[in-house]
Amino acid sequence: MMKTLLSMIFAGISVFTISAQSVTKEVTDGIRYCESTYPYEGGMLIANFGTEQLNPLNSEGKGYIVWHKDGKNQVLIAADGHLSAPKGMWVHEGFLYVCDVNKVMVYNLEDKSAEPYTIQLPEGHLFANDVVVDGNYLYISVTNTDTVFRVDITRPSQPGTPEVWLSVPGPNGLLLYKGALYVASYPADGNTADRNVVYRVADMKNPLPEKWIETPGQYDGLALASDGKAIYLTNWTPAQICRVDLATREMKALDVDLAQPLVGPADISVMDGCIYIPDLPNSRVVVVKEAE
């Protein structure tokens, strides 16, 4: 898996290019291998591995969550031994759900001294990557087993047992919008195939994935544009971020003007007209203005 995430084989993707995006800042202070971002109380949560080497399946327990607000960083969840390679996050009813290796950790944000709860996934489901909440259910993507799990969180402090909800190739980033679930596909073996596209589940009660974007890639993060007309999508090969029109499905690559180009754009978020892009191998979050 380590080889998978660090293989940067540039493959041609047929997309248009949007003019250069304005980079507003790069967040690097206190950041160590950041994979995911998530808006929270006027700021942005940033999930960090905290390790010396980049290993998305490590078990060192050095992971932590930073809260970036007003240009400053503070640690929201300190390295407590529970997080090793924290990835996708979601806040629901005062609880923070964080994907990690073979599990999802649940933190009580109203009582950070409380022991976090562990939603343990079945053996072999190692690459828990992203989470979304729809009603009383939490959905968890697991890239290496082509699985999306569902967990009843009617009682947030005592989640139910994970159940297999959907089989879809390499599920990575998740986005729920207007009752439909969008799933970005990443090849667990590092070899991009025709099945590694973006899928859409139109009916959450009858989960049948259909190809929504036909162009293969190594897709990671998904985020809704502020205007509600498009989705932003990150890709590792080539390392880029694209804007996909929701009506036409036309995909346009953003020209992000950086002295040090993006290497591994991961789980992005949108807030206040800006896109927060965690560049995992470079231990930074690049903030750019949205495309027009």
Side-chain angles (χ1 to χ4, degrees):
M1 189 63 69
M2 182 63 184
K3 181 179 179 181
T4 297
L5 281 184
L6 296 181
S7 63
M8 301 301 164
I9 305 171
F10 285 80
I13 299 256
S14 298
V15 293
F16 297 100
T17 301
I18 296 177
S19 58
Q21 301 306 118
S22 174
V23 177
T24 62
K25 62 183 174 182
E26 293 184 29
V27 181
T28 58
D29 183 36
I31 303 301
R32 186 65 177 176
Y33 296 134
C34 50
E35 199 280 340
S36 178
T37 56
Y38 185 86
Y40 175 68
E41 293 193 353
M44 188 65 64
L45 299 183
I46 304 171
N48 298 268
F49 294 2
T51 51
E52 292 300 317
Q53 303 295 325
L54 174 53
N55 181 356
L57 295 177
N58 81 82
S59 58
E60 297 182 33
K62 296 180 179 179
Y64 60 96
I65 310 297
V66 162
W67 184 29
H68 176 79
K69 186 177 181 180
D70 299 329
K72 299 179 181 179
N73 287 351
Q74 68 179 69
V75 176
L76 182 76
I77 304 295
D80 58 4
H82 292 292
L83 296 174
S84 293
K87 301 179 181 73
M89 298 175 284
W90 193 277
V91 175
H92 178 70
E93 295 187 1
F95 288 85
L96 171 63
Y97 298 84
V98 186
C99 282
D100 206 334
V101 182
N102 194 223
K103 64 185 178 182
V104 174
M105 297 304 304
V106 186
Y107 288 89
N108 186 342
L109 295 178
E110 297 176 1
D111 182 9
K112 298 185 185 66
S113 64
E115 185 73 8
Y117 185 91
T118 302
I119 300 175
Q120 189 67 53
L121 297 176
E123 185 177 356
H125 294 274
L126 298 175
F127 208 98
N129 191 273
D130 203 7
V131 286
V132 296
V133 170
D134 183 35
N136 290 323
Y137 288 103
L138 177 78
Y139 296 85
I140 309 163
S141 64
V142 183
T143 308
N144 71 301
T145 59
D146 299 343
T147 304
V148 176
F149 285 93
R150 185 176 73 169
V151 179
D152 189 331
I153 55 169
T154 302
R155 300 173 65 185
S157 62
Q158 294 180 313
T161 301
E163 59 181 11
V164 174
W165 178 74
L166 179 69
S167 179
V168 63
N172 200 291
L174 301 176
L175 172 67
L176 188 66
Y177 182 56
K178 290 188 175 180
L181 182 69
Y182 297 83
V183 183
S185 177
Y186 188 102
D189 63 1
N191 299 310
T192 305
D194 289 343
R195 69 189 204 133
N196 298 123
V197 295
V198 178
Y199 292 86
R200 182 176 183 266
V201 177
D203 185 356
M204 298 294 283
K205 295 180 180 179
N206 183 29
L208 298 173
E210 59 180 0
K211 287 186 176 181
W212 187 70
I213 291 296
E214 297 280 349
T215 304
Q218 296 191 3
Y219 298 121
D220 194 317
L222 293 164
L224 181 68
S226 294
D227 60 13
K229 297 179 179 180
I231 287 174
Y232 294 110
L233 169 68
T234 59
N235 187 9
W236 280 61
T237 55
Q240 64 183 187
I241 177 170
C242 298
R243 179 183 166 101
V244 186
D245 188 284
L246 278 166
T248 66
R249 305 187 192 183
E250 181 182 32
M251 185 159 58
K252 297 181 179 180
L254 276 61
D255 181 10
V256 181
D257 188 13
L258 290 166
Q260 183 182 13
L262 293 171
V263 175
D267 191 5
I268 54 176
S269 294
V270 172
M271 184 179 71
D272 298 334
C274 289
I275 311 168
Y276 287 72
I277 311 168
D279 189 10
L280 174 57
N282 283 326
S283 294
R284 63 176 177 172
V285 174
V286 176
V287 184
V288 304
K289 291 185 178 179
E290 286 192 73
E292 296 180 356

